[in-house]
Amino acid sequence: MRDSGMRIGFLGVGTVSTAVIHALSVRPGGRATLFLSPRSADATEKLAATYPHCIRLQSNQAVIDASDMVVISMRPQQMDAALRGLVFRPDQIIASFVAAMPPSQMASLVAPATRIAQLVPLPPIALHKGPLLICPPIPEIMAAFAGLGDIVVLEDETKIRIVSCASAVMSTYYEMQNSIIDWAVERGLDRSISALYVRSLLEGLAVAARRADEADLDALPAEHETKGGLNERVRAGLMADDWFERLRRQLDDIYDNAILRTPAGGHDPRRRS
């Protein structure tokens, strides 16, 4: 695979960054050189040993100095301390994975760099699946992350919080999946059969929804049930129990109340993960 010529540095190599690095490393086409910060030693050492184009450096400043594009990926509460004293260049592009830090708030921390975008990648990106939010759509960032998933572009950074809150159903999805699997096992089905069936069912439904026209999404529930049938009874029962409205209320709650970032050294008792 040819070298794309782009040099991308990662400050922070946690779960999401590791997924992105795996996706970048196996994507067809030109391959960027990836410089990794020393933090998360186990992850960075494994990546450097696996991919020749991944190079682990000895400091965050060394990563910045070597890179055309700098990916900042760390917890919001750690960012102030991690970036303090680091020197960026005016020509650098900043791709931030940091939650609750839109480009306008990141600007003072990475000056004199001015070309800044927030990205919201999710763990399935390692499989080249799922959404990847980019705001705003800086051409070099769009090119660097193309093909990793469904690129979702936002021009208005005030809308990022909506997308972030909509992503908060991941663990709920898996809890629902596991509850169905466990229910079938408790009723006498072998666990391996139950797990295969339920996961395949949910995958099939996701694929069907993904391929449906946007205008047809509202019709999908009715199309997957018959009058008086099992699917209708389950959905009607959940609606009667206010299940879906409860879900919406939970999303409303995190949108209205969750505080993802506090000042360095500070703590807000309302902050929720």
Side-chain angles (χ1 to χ4, degrees):
M1 186 180 295
R2 64 181 177 83
D3 189 337
S4 71
M6 174 64 74
R7 301 174 301 164
I8 303 176
F10 283 80
L11 302 185
V13 185
T15 301
V16 172
S17 285
T18 298
V20 169
I21 291 168
H22 281 305
L24 289 170
S25 299
V26 300
R27 179 186 57 181
R31 184 169 57 192
T33 301
L34 307 182
F35 296 104
L36 312 181
S37 64
R39 192 173 177 86
S40 303
D42 288 345
T44 55
E45 289 172 359
K46 288 178 182 177
L47 289 167
T50 302
Y51 303 116
H53 65 284
C54 288
I55 302 170
R56 184 176 186 269
L57 299 181
Q58 295 305 307
S59 70
N60 285 342
Q61 188 62 60
V63 171
I64 295 171
D65 293 343
S67 303
D68 306 307
M69 180 186 300
V70 180
V71 176
I72 300 176
S73 180
M74 55 193 68
R75 294 177 182 175
Q77 296 78 17
Q78 299 171 334
M79 190 178 59
D80 293 282
L83 297 184
R84 189 175 297 120
L86 297 179
V87 179
F88 293 85
R89 301 192 308 272
D91 63 302
Q92 288 179 313
I93 300 166
I94 308 299
S96 171
F97 291 178
V98 181
M101 280 293 290
S104 62
Q105 295 183 30
M106 178 67 70
S108 63
L109 299 173
V110 298
T114 58
R115 302 182 69 199
I116 308 165
Q118 183 171 2
L119 283 68
V120 183
L122 302 174
I125 210 74
L127 305 173
H128 293 182
K129 298 291 185 181
L132 173 58
L133 178 75
I134 299 178
C135 176
I138 296 173
E140 291 89 341
I141 290 180
M142 297 287 287
F145 293 93
L148 269 61
D150 292 314
I151 302 297
V152 179
V153 173
L154 280 182
E155 297 282 357
D156 182 356
E157 68 174 37
T158 67
K159 306 298 185 185
I160 295 173
R161 185 175 180 87
I162 301 172
V163 177
S164 297
C165 291
S167 304
V169 298
M170 290 189 293
S171 61
T172 301
Y173 170 87
Y174 288 118
E175 189 70 34
M176 182 186 74
Q177 169 196 273
N178 294 342
S179 293
I180 300 170
I181 292 171
D182 291 343
W183 175 87
V185 171
E186 290 165 3
R187 289 287 179 167
L189 198 62
D190 180 82
R191 182 167 187 82
S192 62
I193 294 175
S194 176
L196 173 61
Y197 183 84
V198 172
R199 288 184 294 170
S200 180
L201 168 66
L202 295 176
E203 179 184 22
L205 293 173
V207 170
R210 186 68 180 83
R211 294 181 179 177
D213 290 337
E214 182 181 347
D216 297 333
L217 294 182
D218 288 345
L220 286 179
E223 289 177 358
H224 286 75
E225 65 186 23
T226 56
K227 189 66 175 177
L230 303 181
N231 283 280
E232 184 189 59
R233 290 177 63 179
V234 170
R235 183 165 71 102
L238 290 174
M239 292 179 71
D241 288 341
D242 208 26
W243 195 89
F244 299 102
E245 285 303 316
R246 288 184 183 181
L247 175 61
R248 291 172 64 94
R249 288 197 293 271
Q250 289 297 321
L251 294 175
D252 283 339
D253 179 63
I254 61 172
Y255 181 82
D256 293 336
N257 301 311
I259 298 174
L260 302 179
R261 173 174 161 78
T262 56
H267 174 73
D268 189 308
R270 296 176 298 165
R271 185 179 65 81
R272 305 173 188 181
S273 59

